[in-house]
Amino acid sequence: MAQQTIGPSPTSIPQGGRPSGHPGGHPHGRGGHPGGHPGGHPGAAPTRRHLDFDKAPFIAIWETTQACDLACKHCRAMAQPLRHPGELSTAEAKAMMDRLREFGPIVFVFSGGDCFKRPDIVELVEYGAKLGMRMGITPATTSLATKELLQQLKDVGLTRLAVSLDGSNAAIHDEFRQVQGSFDHGLRILREAQEVGLSTQVNTVIRKANIDDMDAMTELMTTLGVVFWEVFFLVPMGRAKADDVASAEEFEQVFHQLYDLSKVAPFDIKATAAPQYSRVVMQRKRAEVRAGADEDVDEVMTRGMHYSQSDGIGRARNVNDGDGFIFISHTGDIYPSGFLPVNAGNIRETDIIDIYRNAPVFRELRDRTLLEGKCGVCGFRDACGGSRARAYAMTGNYLAEEPFCAYEPGRPRV
């Protein structure tokens, strides 16, 4: 099962760049995100002016376990049927959440593998909710996700549930997840989650094999009653291969489809592992403004926040690997994201707050003046930054240019 996220998305961005006062994002001496940590009362989404990703992430994802009954072709976690003996214990997980809460009421997501393989999942969701974090969960689409369990999670404070649908029909989805019936379970879980009063979203992995299914997938999405569609653009790591990734031109095609959909969809849309979408949105919006549209470019990405804000999750601008984002593995290893496997420490040995703020990989990822190749000279660098995970997967260098971007800003610096 791939890393899945709930909520964060680029939103309002001044023309061509990061929020004012953030030329590079380095914690010391080269700018910084304005404002403070995600603030507001517990359960409330932070306002844009209160996000400082040098100090705190917007979202933390915990890979609760690698155990899963699916065998997804792209699985970042290399999931397997049985739980690992070195998984974080219930007590260790609670201690981790205690420390993460020091960042503020961040979004905290239980992922996997399949988080429903952990018998303590309800207890842990309740614990995090009582701490005041905004709680999300991304279970596998299997029979473990019963309506009774969904009701228990709702009762203890779960905010949103995300379900993976990777095709518009069972043939496409089940072939990708490699378990027959997974698609039908996904539709069932969405329906039952909504019946018990949970807010829902769908996660979809875009890859070479399902590009031609996008129109049908879009049509399906409008019928599901979700508040958020998170569209993942495949990163070739884990079980995924470079040949599975759609081309830069196909990425671009999907970006334009998503932008067109965003104008009419009854849900918010986010492109994950594809910050280039921010650039496409800005280009499209500027063209519309030049054509006489009565709208402000600075409100490019905020129009849809009505939906994702409705359950308190909200979203934030400019989230990228290690920049507003932190990932903890099932054994406690700390990464900039689940798609960028550069280990910065382990919660059993090091402080997660110190790692996020001061580990070299996190600091470098937040300093976009360090980006190389065309990303380093791109006028959209601060609004986009390219997928650092995909750059690492293809080159071994997380500061290299995004290898699946069709935009050509000019000659890179020598």
Side-chain angles (χ1 to χ4, degrees), residues 221-390:
M221 282 299 306
T222 62
T223 71
L224 297 178
V226 299
V227 300
F228 207 84
W229 188 19
E230 186 150 13
V231 184
F232 290 75
F233 288 75
L234 190 66
V235 176
M237 53 87 65
R239 292 185 185 133
K241 305 295 187 292
D243 289 345
D244 300 326
V245 184
S247 68
E249 292 72 25
E250 288 169 325
F251 274 26
E252 202 82 354
Q253 170 191 325
V254 176
F255 295 152
H256 285 281
Q257 287 178 282
L258 294 178
Y259 178 77
D260 291 337
L261 178 62
S262 73
K263 294 189 169 189
V264 298
F267 47 80
D268 290 347
I269 297 170
K270 178 187 182 292
T272 290
Q276 307 97 294
Y277 179 56
S278 298
R279 183 255 309 161
V280 169
V281 171
M282 294 177 76
Q283 289 173 317
R284 289 284 301 272
K285 182 56 62 181
R286 289 173 182 174
E288 291 169 6
V289 170
R290 286 194 297 269
D294 187 21
E295 295 184 83
D296 188 342
V297 174
D298 190 44
E299 296 303 316
V300 172
M301 304 288 283
T302 60
R303 179 189 296 136
M305 282 192 71
H306 167 75
Y307 303 106
S308 60
Q309 196 85 339
S310 63
D311 60 10
I313 292 287
R315 60 189 192 180
R317 63 181 165 195
N318 243 3
V319 174
N320 207 330
D321 304 296
D323 193 359
F325 199 116
I326 192 167
F327 180 89
I328 306 96
S329 81
H330 61 297
T331 57
D333 289 330
I334 303 167
Y335 300 99
S337 79
F339 297 127
L340 182 47
V342 177
N343 192 334
N346 188 286
I347 66 164
R348 288 167 168 151
E349 302 165 354
T350 40
D351 177 48
I352 195 167
I353 291 180
D354 183 59
I355 287 290
Y356 178 81
R357 291 177 178 169
N358 299 311
V361 60
F362 279 89
R363 290 172 54 138
E364 289 178 353
L365 288 167
R366 290 195 294 269
D367 185 351
R368 297 190 185 179
T369 67
L370 299 178
L371 296 181
E372 301 172 6
K374 66 181 183 181
C375 286
V377 298
C378 183
F380 295 96
R381 178 185 69 190
D382 293 337
C384 170
S387 169
R388 299 299 92 219
R390 194 174 295 106

